[in-house]
Amino acid sequence: MTTTVPALGTRTAEGSALQAVLLDMDGTLVDTEGFWWDVEVEVFAGLGHTLDDSWRHVVVGGPMTRSAGFLIEATGADITLDELSVLLNDGFENRIDHRLPLMPGAARLLAELAAHDIPTALVSASHRRIIDRVLASVGPQYFALTVAGDEVERTKPFPDPYLRAAAGLGADPTRCAVVEDTLTGVTAAEAAGCRVVAVPSITPIEPAARRTVVTSLEEVDLPFLQGLMTRV
């Protein structure tokens, strides 16, 4: 889903070098990282396998090809990657049909970015069918474009999704602020040259150059994101 984006000069907040904001979805805007693990546990139980809870930290935030592939190899389950992907996506959709909680501060941040005409994109490793379902709850009007994990040849942790989003908005990646909740997503954004705000959801993330770690989106607003551009 892509809409026409006005020239950046008319959309960038006055006096700021920030050109665009690129946001992850699961665990960043919507509290769904736990949903994926619950579905994985349920699906593998149906296949006769019990998942080790420590594996949750291995699969969190990754593309389905990586997480599902790991679980097949770890359990020895007799199922193909394509078959498992269908079961996982179906199970996830069933859960979000019943409940889709936003992360604290997410609605306020999206509204603030929209009010100041900041070009914003949703960049997720989830498949298009999942993104479109989630967008119906989050609000598609907040995003000039969205990038799904099954729409790029290489998804996170590679930089391709964030490079595509920046290009789609006509923005310089080094002038984009990315908000992510996993190291996989942070790695992708940093490889693209973006400034990163990490809001860890399940596994800890350490501060680093061009990376700021916060505990909640409630700490993030437009002045905060603009300030990232001036930090060394």
Side-chain angles (χ1 to χ4, degrees):
M1 149 186 141
T2 304
T3 58
T4 302
V5 182
L8 285 172
T10 65
R11 292 179 60 88
T12 305
E14 183 178 354
S16 170
L18 177 69
Q19 291 185 347
V21 177
L22 317 177
L23 299 122
D24 174 55
M25 186 176 76
D26 293 303
T28 299
L29 292 178
V30 288
D31 191 8
T32 50
E33 285 292 9
F35 285 19
W36 282 112
W37 179 248
D38 291 344
V39 170
E40 288 159 349
V41 168
E42 181 180 280
V43 167
F44 276 90
L47 297 171
H49 297 276
T50 300
L51 300 188
D52 190 309
D53 194 61
S54 65
W55 295 344
R56 180 175 183 176
H57 299 282
V58 179
V59 301
V60 64
M64 187 168 291
T65 51
R66 188 194 75 184
S67 57
F70 168 83
L71 293 174
I72 290 173
E73 182 177 351
T75 61
D78 184 19
I79 190 171
T80 67
L81 183 59
D82 287 342
E83 291 169 339
L84 180 57
S85 295
V86 170
L87 292 178
L88 293 176
N89 277 320
D90 286 348
F92 185 81
E93 284 192 29
N94 182 59
R95 272 173 168 72
I96 63 177
D97 279 344
H98 294 90
R99 179 170 64 97
L100 186 56
L102 293 180
M103 298 298 288
R108 186 264 314 149
L109 177 60
L110 291 174
E112 181 180 11
L113 295 174
H116 289 84
D117 291 326
I118 302 299
T120 304
L122 185 70
V123 184
S124 176
S126 290
H127 290 187
R128 169 56 57 188
R129 60 181 285 197
I130 299 298
I131 286 182
D132 287 345
R133 185 68 69 87
V134 172
L135 276 174
S137 295
V138 175
Q141 71 274 14
Y142 291 120
F143 305 99
L145 63 85
T146 62
V147 178
D150 57 342
E151 295 174 339
V152 289
E153 184 174 347
R154 303 185 307 171
T155 189
K156 305 172 187 180
F158 294 99
D160 306 37
Y162 282 112
L163 291 174
R164 174 178 289 195
L169 295 175
D172 178 347
T174 65
R175 292 301 182 185
C176 292
V178 168
V179 185
E180 273 279 1
D181 74 302
T182 68
L183 187 57
T184 298
V186 167
T187 300
E190 290 178 342
C194 305
R195 298 278 181 166
V196 179
V197 180
V199 193
S201 60
I202 294 177
T203 57
I205 299 174
E206 296 298 322
R210 300 178 68 84
R211 179 196 309 169
T212 303
V213 180
V214 298
T215 59
S216 168
L217 283 182
E218 293 181 320
E219 300 176 44
V220 181
D221 57 15
L222 181 54
F224 179 95
L225 295 173
Q226 291 169 333
L228 297 177
M229 300 298 110
T230 63
R231 298 181 187 178
V232 178

